[in-house]
Amino acid sequence: MQRLIMFLLKAVVGFIGLSLALVVLFKFVPVPVTATMVMDANGITKDWTSLSNIDRSMVRAVIAAEDGKFCTHDGFDREAIEKAIESNARGGRIRGGSTISQQTAKNVFLWQGGGYVRKGFEAWFTFLIEKIWGKRRIMEVYLNVAETGIGTYGVEAGAQRYFGKSAASLSPIEAARMAAALPLPKERSVKNPRGWLARHGNTIAARIGAVRRDGLDSCI
């Protein structure tokens, strides 16, 4: 029993040390690859781009679409989590309450899919990146590792794929369409959205102005 306890203690200390080292490293170094990329049978197309070279409309679009409280929460939107729990308890379509910070932690350090174990690791890495990276770096990493299409990662590769231009030149409607597709990039059309998806993209485009007006991107 004593050996088991010592083994578990060393494992915990080792994990904490390794996770801290990785988070500190990726505060300064571009994330080279993620588990999601490695497991993608469609290959990997990506092009790391600094946040200063990504049009501000893209930043505002993902805040409008994914996480309106990004600049004010500590990595966890407790109200959204509570609503998701209540909605899921009633049955029907499963609803998530993840923030951009949580999605970034998952995308960089973990794997896709649910489960309480992964959620626990996600919470730990979310806490770390909020404390060590800060909001601007979190947004920069998110926009570079998020899946934006089949075998396509990051908004620069997505902008080139869908619009034949750099992410620095995206228009508000183009940014909004990319943001609308982010939850299901393999299934949602960016270039020629129809029906609900087209309306959703238009709604996000309209909200970009509200994000700017209300300073919801002031931390970036």
Side-chain angles (χ1 to χ4, degrees), residues 51 67 69-76 99-101 129-142 218-220:
L51 192 60
D67 188 358
K69 298 178 182 178
F70 177 70
C71 281
T72 57
H73 63 57
D74 60 356
F76 306 93
T99 63
I100 286 175
S101 300
I129 64 176
E130 279 280 338
K131 296 298 182 183
I132 297 174
W133 288 3
K135 297 292 187 178
R136 184 175 175 83
R137 180 60 174 176
I138 290 172
M139 179 61 73
E140 182 173 61
V141 173
Y142 175 70
S218 60
C219 62
I220 303 168

Side-chain angles (χ1 to χ4, degrees), residues 18-29 109 128 132-133 137:
L18 178 60
S19 58
L20 279 169
L22 287 173
V23 171
V24 171
L25 176 66
F26 292 146
K27 177 179 174 65
F28 306 102
V29 176
F109 300 104
L128 288 183
I132 297 174
W133 288 3
R137 180 60 174 176

Side-chain angles (χ1 to χ4, degrees), residues 17-98:
L18 178 60
S19 58
L20 279 169
L22 287 173
V23 171
V24 171
L25 176 66
F26 292 146
K27 177 179 174 65
F28 306 102
V29 176
V31 178
V33 71
T34 67
T36 303
M37 295 176 189
V38 171
M39 293 186 288
D40 194 334
N42 299 292
I44 306 171
T45 300
K46 62 185 182 71
D47 187 357
W48 185 278
T49 304
S50 68
L51 192 60
S52 59
N53 289 326
I54 297 173
D55 192 272
R56 193 70 175 187
S57 292
M58 192 69 240
V59 173
R60 290 169 176 154
V62 296
I63 289 177
E66 300 282 312
D67 188 358
K69 298 178 182 178
F70 177 70
C71 281
T72 57
H73 63 57
D74 60 356
F76 306 93
D77 185 344
R78 289 161 183 78
E79 182 179 357
I81 292 172
E82 290 173 2
K83 288 182 179 179
I85 292 173
E86 292 174 1
S87 176
N88 297 339
R90 291 194 297 267
R93 185 173 67 87
I94 299 298
R95 172 179 173 176
S98 294

Side-chain angles (χ1 to χ4, degrees), residues 60 63-64 203-217:
R60 290 169 176 154
I63 289 177
T203 298
I204 294 171
R207 289 176 181 169
I208 287 174
V211 171
R212 180 181 63 251
R213 183 186 67 245
D214 296 339
L216 301 183
D217 61 335

